[in-house]
Amino acid sequence: MVRVMDLEELEQDALKRNIPVMQKEGILFLISQLQDMKATSCLEIGSAIGYSAMMMVTHVEGLQVETIELNDERYQEAVKNITERNLQDKITIHHDDALSFDVSQLQHAPYDCLFIDAAKAQYQKFFEKYVPFVLEKGIIIVDNLDFHGMIFDIDHIKNRNTKQLVKKIKRFKDWIFNHEDYDVEYYQIGDGICVIKRKEKE
Ligand SMILES: C[S@@+](CC[C@H](N)C(=O)[O-])C[C@H]1O[C@@H](n2cnc3c(N)ncnc32)[C@H](O)[C@@H]1O
């Protein structure tokens, strides 16, 4: 019988193969947020090989994760990982582009948490498309907002594509921090994480 790797080994294996998974500090922070609010549902944009989804459901009691992955190989690997660990009742995974995904297929809406961890240039689009499916008191978590610290020194970025990408991340950050409907808390954890909440109505 083939031995199933534990999640720690899976994370290390993914990193060796250059598959981007959430940094340890970041995932532990996300889990603590979900535990504190006793979340029962989370929608994740960007599953990769299912690491963060599996970490969430194995650490947060009663949590259902629904997750969307565009890349074919990663989706297949995520399905394999989830099935091998018998977590298919707790994780629903869709193989699609989250930007064109038919939202009528969402199975666990409305969600306590929306976790955005896919193409960084598209953060605002993901946010605007999926925020209507977040509960009034729910949270939106966005990772990688510092982009390895580059966001603080855009003028010195030499590579043109990287510069464009970092500018887009900064645009999202400025947009959300100045949005009249949301409160944003920034945490210097991992690569920079924001927790976004709707402002209380007066
Ligand atoms: C940083 S990785 C996700 C890591 C994962 N959340 C984890 O920590 O284990 C980002 C993933 O988003 C996927 N992605 C990028 N654009 C996407 C889109 N438009 N729709 C769905 N997935 C997308 C990429 O293929 C990639 O696997």
Side-chain angles (χ1 to χ4, degrees), residues 82-109:
I82 293 163
T83 315
E84 273 177 355
R85 289 163 186 80
N86 210 14
L87 294 172
Q88 59 275 28
D89 290 347
K90 295 181 175 186
I91 301 173
T92 307
I93 181 162
H94 302 276
H95 181 205
D96 213 331
D97 180 341
L99 291 175
S100 51
F101 177 73
D102 170 9
V103 292
S104 69
Q105 288 184 46
L106 289 172
Q107 291 179 22
H108 298 283

mmCIF file of all heavy atoms in Angstrom, residues 82-109:
data_model
loop_
_atom_site.group_PDB
_atom_site.id
_atom_site.type_symbol
_atom_site.label_atom_id
_atom_site.label_comp_id
_atom_site.label_asym_id
_atom_site.label_seq_id
_atom_site.Cartn_x
_atom_site.Cartn_y
_atom_site.Cartn_z
ATOM 1 N N ILE A 82 -6.970 15.153 -1.875
ATOM 2 C CA ILE A 82 -8.163 15.249 -1.020
ATOM 3 C C ILE A 82 -8.791 13.856 -0.844
ATOM 4 O O ILE A 82 -9.157 13.451 0.263
ATOM 5 C CB ILE A 82 -9.181 16.253 -1.644
ATOM 6 C CG1 ILE A 82 -8.599 17.674 -1.596
ATOM 7 C CG2 ILE A 82 -10.530 16.184 -0.947
ATOM 8 C CD1 ILE A 82 -9.278 18.676 -2.525
ATOM 9 N N THR A 83 -8.855 13.110 -1.938
ATOM 10 C CA THR A 83 -9.483 11.781 -1.886
ATOM 11 C C THR A 83 -8.634 10.818 -1.053
ATOM 12 O O THR A 83 -9.174 10.072 -0.228
ATOM 13 C CB THR A 83 -9.673 11.224 -3.327
ATOM 14 O OG1 THR A 83 -10.197 12.273 -4.125
ATOM 15 C CG2 THR A 83 -10.603 10.041 -3.358
ATOM 16 N N GLU A 84 -7.308 10.867 -1.238
ATOM 17 C CA GLU A 84 -6.417 9.964 -0.481
ATOM 18 C C GLU A 84 -6.561 10.171 1.023
ATOM 19 O O GLU A 84 -6.358 9.252 1.806
ATOM 20 C CB GLU A 84 -4.951 10.271 -0.839
ATOM 21 C CG GLU A 84 -4.454 9.535 -2.046
ATOM 22 C CD GLU A 84 -3.011 9.927 -2.406
ATOM 23 O OE1 GLU A 84 -2.435 10.846 -1.775
ATOM 24 O OE2 GLU A 84 -2.482 9.328 -3.325
ATOM 25 N N ARG A 85 -6.858 11.404 1.404
ATOM 26 C CA ARG A 85 -6.993 11.704 2.838
ATOM 27 C C ARG A 85 -8.441 11.666 3.291
ATOM 28 O O ARG A 85 -8.763 12.081 4.404
ATOM 29 C CB ARG A 85 -6.358 13.071 3.138
ATOM 30 C CG ARG A 85 -4.846 12.992 3.037
ATOM 31 C CD ARG A 85 -4.187 14.336 2.918
ATOM 32 N NE ARG A 85 -2.758 14.171 2.681
ATOM 33 C CZ ARG A 85 -2.224 13.882 1.486
ATOM 34 N NH1 ARG A 85 -2.997 13.758 0.421
ATOM 35 N NH2 ARG A 85 -0.922 13.697 1.349
ATOM 36 N N ASN A 86 -9.299 11.204 2.413
ATOM 37 C CA ASN A 86 -10.721 11.026 2.723
ATOM 38 C C ASN A 86 -11.389 12.330 3.191
ATOM 39 O O ASN A 86 -12.190 12.321 4.125
ATOM 40 C CB ASN A 86 -10.837 9.942 3.814
ATOM 41 C CG ASN A 86 -12.133 9.209 3.676
ATOM 42 O OD1 ASN A 86 -12.820 9.310 2.638
ATOM 43 N ND2 ASN A 86 -12.509 8.481 4.708
ATOM 44 N N LEU A 87 -11.027 13.434 2.537
ATOM 45 C CA LEU A 87 -11.567 14.737 2.948
ATOM 46 C C LEU A 87 -12.603 15.263 1.939
ATOM 47 O O LEU A 87 -12.983 16.424 1.990
ATOM 48 C CB LEU A 87 -10.421 15.755 3.102
ATOM 49 C CG LEU A 87 -9.436 15.460 4.237
ATOM 50 C CD1 LEU A 87 -8.232 16.398 4.205
ATOM 51 C CD2 LEU A 87 -10.140 15.551 5.592
ATOM 52 N N GLN A 88 -13.041 14.391 1.047
ATOM 53 C CA GLN A 88 -13.946 14.867 -0.013
ATOM 54 C C GLN A 88 -15.308 15.326 0.504
ATOM 55 O O GLN A 88 -15.989 16.083 -0.168
ATOM 56 C CB GLN A 88 -14.094 13.839 -1.156
ATOM 57 C CG GLN A 88 -14.621 12.495 -0.785
ATOM 58 C CD GLN A 88 -13.517 11.554 -0.288
ATOM 59 O OE1 GLN A 88 -12.516 11.978 0.250
ATOM 60 N NE2 GLN A 88 -13.723 10.265 -0.460
ATOM 61 N N ASP A 89 -15.690 14.902 1.736
ATOM 62 C CA ASP A 89 -16.967 15.385 2.284
ATOM 63 C C ASP A 89 -16.840 16.798 2.833
ATOM 64 O O ASP A 89 -17.832 17.478 3.050
ATOM 65 C CB ASP A 89 -17.437 14.477 3.437
ATOM 66 C CG ASP A 89 -17.859 13.121 2.905
ATOM 67 O OD1 ASP A 89 -18.021 12.994 1.673
ATOM 68 O OD2 ASP A 89 -18.008 12.199 3.722
ATOM 69 N N LYS A 90 -15.594 17.212 3.072
ATOM 70 C CA LYS A 90 -15.384 18.534 3.677
ATOM 71 C C LYS A 90 -14.889 19.561 2.663
ATOM 72 O O LYS A 90 -14.870 20.753 2.939
ATOM 73 C CB LYS A 90 -14.347 18.436 4.803
ATOM 74 C CG LYS A 90 -14.819 17.584 5.950
ATOM 75 C CD LYS A 90 -13.776 17.536 7.029
ATOM 76 C CE LYS A 90 -14.337 16.765 8.212
ATOM 77 N NZ LYS A 90 -13.451 16.777 9.346
ATOM 78 N N ILE A 91 -14.417 19.079 1.505
ATOM 79 C CA ILE A 91 -13.872 20.005 0.495
ATOM 80 C C ILE A 91 -14.570 19.761 -0.843
ATOM 81 O O ILE A 91 -14.595 18.637 -1.342
ATOM 82 C CB ILE A 91 -12.352 19.812 0.316
ATOM 83 C CG1 ILE A 91 -11.615 20.033 1.640
ATOM 84 C CG2 ILE A 91 -11.801 20.754 -0.754
ATOM 85 C CD1 ILE A 91 -10.118 19.703 1.604
ATOM 86 N N THR A 92 -15.108 20.831 -1.406
ATOM 87 C CA THR A 92 -15.697 20.767 -2.745
ATOM 88 C C THR A 92 -14.749 21.532 -3.653
ATOM 89 O O THR A 92 -14.462 22.704 -3.398
ATOM 90 C CB THR A 92 -17.069 21.484 -2.773
ATOM 91 O OG1 THR A 92 -17.874 20.938 -1.739
ATOM 92 C CG2 THR A 92 -17.752 21.336 -4.118
ATOM 93 N N ILE A 93 -14.259 20.876 -4.685
ATOM 94 C CA ILE A 93 -13.314 21.571 -5.566
ATOM 95 C C ILE A 93 -13.886 21.677 -6.984
ATOM 96 O O ILE A 93 -14.466 20.716 -7.496
ATOM 97 C CB ILE A 93 -11.911 20.902 -5.535
ATOM 98 C CG1 ILE A 93 -10.929 21.648 -6.447
ATOM 99 C CG2 ILE A 93 -11.941 19.413 -5.834
ATOM 100 C CD1 ILE A 93 -9.475 21.359 -6.155
ATOM 101 N N HIS A 94 -13.741 22.856 -7.566
ATOM 102 C CA HIS A 94 -14.213 23.099 -8.934
ATOM 103 C C HIS A 94 -13.001 23.328 -9.832
ATOM 104 O O HIS A 94 -12.071 24.041 -9.435
ATOM 105 C CB HIS A 94 -15.077 24.356 -8.994
ATOM 106 C CG HIS A 94 -16.269 24.325 -8.094
ATOM 107 N ND1 HIS A 94 -17.451 23.727 -8.459
ATOM 108 C CD2 HIS A 94 -16.455 24.820 -6.846
ATOM 109 C CE1 HIS A 94 -18.335 23.874 -7.464
ATOM 110 N NE2 HIS A 94 -17.753 24.525 -6.483
ATOM 111 N N HIS A 95 -13.047 22.766 -11.029
ATOM 112 C CA HIS A 95 -11.986 22.990 -12.002
ATOM 113 C C HIS A 95 -12.459 24.056 -12.976
ATOM 114 O O HIS A 95 -13.231 23.761 -13.905
ATOM 115 C CB HIS A 95 -11.683 21.669 -12.733
ATOM 116 C CG HIS A 95 -10.578 21.806 -13.726
ATOM 117 N ND1 HIS A 95 -10.454 20.977 -14.796
ATOM 118 C CD2 HIS A 95 -9.561 22.682 -13.799
ATOM 119 C CE1 HIS A 95 -9.385 21.341 -15.495
ATOM 120 N NE2 HIS A 95 -8.836 22.370 -14.899
ATOM 121 N N ASP A 96 -12.015 25.296 -12.759
ATOM 122 C CA ASP A 96 -12.524 26.380 -13.615
ATOM 123 C C ASP A 96 -11.702 27.649 -13.400
ATOM 124 O O ASP A 96 -10.941 27.744 -12.440
ATOM 125 C CB ASP A 96 -13.983 26.673 -13.245
ATOM 126 C CG ASP A 96 -14.803 27.099 -14.448
ATOM 127 O OD1 ASP A 96 -14.221 27.680 -15.385
ATOM 128 O OD2 ASP A 96 -16.022 26.844 -14.460
ATOM 129 N N ASP A 97 -11.912 28.598 -14.291
ATOM 130 C CA ASP A 97 -11.375 29.936 -14.100
ATOM 131 C C ASP A 97 -12.365 30.675 -13.192
ATOM 132 O O ASP A 97 -13.535 30.842 -13.575
ATOM 133 C CB ASP A 97 -11.261 30.628 -15.474
ATOM 134 C CG ASP A 97 -10.702 32.034 -15.371
ATOM 135 O OD1 ASP A 97 -10.744 32.616 -14.269
ATOM 136 O OD2 ASP A 97 -10.231 32.547 -16.398
ATOM 137 N N ALA A 98 -11.896 31.099 -12.039
ATOM 138 C CA ALA A 98 -12.812 31.739 -11.089
ATOM 139 C C ALA A 98 -13.464 32.988 -11.677
ATOM 140 O O ALA A 98 -14.545 33.378 -11.249
ATOM 141 C CB ALA A 98 -12.072 32.083 -9.802
ATOM 142 N N LEU A 99 -12.829 33.590 -12.676
ATOM 143 C CA LEU A 99 -13.401 34.809 -13.255
ATOM 144 C C LEU A 99 -14.582 34.525 -14.181
ATOM 145 O O LEU A 99 -15.451 35.368 -14.351
ATOM 146 C CB LEU A 99 -12.324 35.606 -14.008
ATOM 147 C CG LEU A 99 -11.256 36.233 -13.120
ATOM 148 C CD1 LEU A 99 -10.183 36.900 -13.958
ATOM 149 C CD2 LEU A 99 -11.867 37.232 -12.139
ATOM 150 N N SER A 100 -14.609 33.327 -14.760
ATOM 151 C CA SER A 100 -15.748 32.997 -15.635
ATOM 152 C C SER A 100 -16.648 31.911 -15.025
ATOM 153 O O SER A 100 -17.656 31.525 -15.623
ATOM 154 C CB SER A 100 -15.250 32.559 -17.023
ATOM 155 O OG SER A 100 -14.277 31.560 -16.877
ATOM 156 N N PHE A 101 -16.287 31.424 -13.867
ATOM 157 C CA PHE A 101 -17.042 30.368 -13.173
ATOM 158 C C PHE A 101 -18.512 30.780 -12.998
ATOM 159 O O PHE A 101 -18.813 31.921 -12.659
ATOM 160 C CB PHE A 101 -16.386 30.136 -11.800
ATOM 161 C CG PHE A 101 -17.064 29.136 -10.936
ATOM 162 C CD1 PHE A 101 -16.993 27.775 -11.210
ATOM 163 C CD2 PHE A 101 -17.786 29.535 -9.805
ATOM 164 C CE1 PHE A 101 -17.609 26.844 -10.391
ATOM 165 C CE2 PHE A 101 -18.406 28.616 -8.986
ATOM 166 C CZ PHE A 101 -18.315 27.265 -9.277
ATOM 167 N N ASP A 102 -19.402 29.809 -13.239
ATOM 168 C CA ASP A 102 -20.836 30.054 -13.094
ATOM 169 C C ASP A 102 -21.199 29.961 -11.602
ATOM 170 O O ASP A 102 -21.217 28.872 -11.028
ATOM 171 C CB ASP A 102 -21.582 28.990 -13.921
ATOM 172 C CG ASP A 102 -23.067 28.988 -13.665
ATOM 173 O OD1 ASP A 102 -23.550 29.900 -12.979
ATOM 174 O OD2 ASP A 102 -23.731 28.053 -14.144
ATOM 175 N N VAL A 103 -21.492 31.104 -11.003
ATOM 176 C CA VAL A 103 -21.679 31.135 -9.541
ATOM 177 C C VAL A 103 -22.904 30.347 -9.073
ATOM 178 O O VAL A 103 -23.023 30.041 -7.889
ATOM 179 C CB VAL A 103 -21.742 32.588 -9.008
ATOM 180 C CG1 VAL A 103 -20.400 33.279 -9.154
ATOM 181 C CG2 VAL A 103 -22.843 33.385 -9.687
ATOM 182 N N SER A 104 -23.796 29.985 -10.010
ATOM 183 C CA SER A 104 -24.949 29.184 -9.575
ATOM 184 C C SER A 104 -24.491 27.779 -9.146
ATOM 185 O O SER A 104 -25.238 27.028 -8.542
ATOM 186 C CB SER A 104 -26.004 29.105 -10.682
ATOM 187 O OG SER A 104 -25.520 28.321 -11.745
ATOM 188 N N GLN A 105 -23.217 27.449 -9.466
ATOM 189 C CA GLN A 105 -22.696 26.139 -9.042
ATOM 190 C C GLN A 105 -22.106 26.148 -7.630
ATOM 191 O O GLN A 105 -21.698 25.104 -7.120
ATOM 192 C CB GLN A 105 -21.608 25.699 -10.018
ATOM 193 C CG GLN A 105 -22.154 25.288 -11.363
ATOM 194 C CD GLN A 105 -21.026 24.778 -12.237
ATOM 195 O OE1 GLN A 105 -20.197 23.991 -11.800
ATOM 196 N NE2 GLN A 105 -20.989 25.254 -13.456
ATOM 197 N N LEU A 106 -22.044 27.318 -7.020
ATOM 198 C CA LEU A 106 -21.509 27.371 -5.653
ATOM 199 C C LEU A 106 -22.433 26.569 -4.734
ATOM 200 O O LEU A 106 -23.656 26.730 -4.781
ATOM 201 C CB LEU A 106 -21.412 28.825 -5.169
ATOM 202 C CG LEU A 106 -20.325 29.674 -5.820
ATOM 203 C CD1 LEU A 106 -20.451 31.135 -5.403
ATOM 204 C CD2 LEU A 106 -18.925 29.151 -5.486
ATOM 205 N N GLN A 107 -21.831 25.727 -3.899
ATOM 206 C CA GLN A 107 -22.669 24.807 -3.114
ATOM 207 C C GLN A 107 -22.875 25.208 -1.663
ATOM 208 O O GLN A 107 -23.793 24.730 -1.019
ATOM 209 C CB GLN A 107 -22.055 23.410 -3.169
ATOM 210 C CG GLN A 107 -22.177 22.822 -4.549
ATOM 211 C CD GLN A 107 -21.560 21.448 -4.646
ATOM 212 O OE1 GLN A 107 -21.404 20.759 -3.651
ATOM 213 N NE2 GLN A 107 -21.214 21.059 -5.857
ATOM 214 N N HIS A 108 -21.969 26.048 -1.114
ATOM 215 C CA HIS A 108 -22.080 26.321 0.321
ATOM 216 C C HIS A 108 -22.271 27.795 0.640
ATOM 217 O O HIS A 108 -22.052 28.213 1.767
ATOM 218 C CB HIS A 108 -20.856 25.760 1.053
ATOM 219 C CG HIS A 108 -20.741 24.275 0.925
ATOM 220 N ND1 HIS A 108 -21.518 23.404 1.651
ATOM 221 C CD2 HIS A 108 -19.982 23.506 0.117
ATOM 222 C CE1 HIS A 108 -21.226 22.163 1.313
ATOM 223 N NE2 HIS A 108 -20.294 22.197 0.376
ATOM 224 N N ALA A 109 -22.662 28.586 -0.368
ATOM 225 C CA ALA A 109 -22.887 30.024 -0.146
ATOM 226 C C ALA A 109 -24.127 30.214 0.744
ATOM 227 O O ALA A 109 -25.050 29.394 0.667
ATOM 228 C CB ALA A 109 -23.090 30.721 -1.486
#
